[in-house]
Amino acid sequence: MLRAKEAGLPLDTIRSLLTTSGAARRRSILHEEAEALRSRIAAAQASLALIECVLGCDHEDFTRCAHFRLVAHRMGT
């Protein structure tokens, strides 16, 4: 399960995969982990979009930029 660790799977997930005997349950565990990973990726992409907005902003104070405020509002900040 070194590949699972390299893939970033949490140790609890790896342990569950190793101790679960049913193939269907192992797939279910991996589906859950994939969904959690998709959520983390989406959050990281939203953060990156906000940072890139700031870096590309011509305003001296980026918090006054309407585009920045719109992106920040969409993120819920």
Side-chain angles (χ1 to χ4, degrees):
M1 281 293 164
L2 182 57
R3 290 265 173 151
K5 186 176 178 186
E6 289 172 350
L9 291 177
L11 292 178
D12 288 343
T13 300
I14 295 170
R15 187 176 301 113
S16 293
L17 291 170
L18 291 173
T19 59
T20 300
S21 60
R25 178 63 187 134
R26 284 193 294 271
R27 283 190 177 278
S28 176
I29 291 168
L30 288 176
H31 279 290
E32 292 169 13
E33 187 59 37
E35 188 55 39
L37 181 57
R38 284 185 198 97
S39 294
R40 291 192 305 271
I41 290 169
Q45 287 175 326
S47 294
L48 180 59
L50 182 63
I51 291 168
E52 287 177 338
C53 174
V54 169
L55 292 175
C57 183
D58 292 332
H59 287 82
E60 185 173 319
D61 179 1
F62 65 84
T63 62
R64 296 193 175 275
C65 175
H67 185 246
F68 169 81
R69 286 183 280 177
L70 176 65
V71 173
H73 177 74
R74 285 182 185 158
M75 290 181 62
T77 59

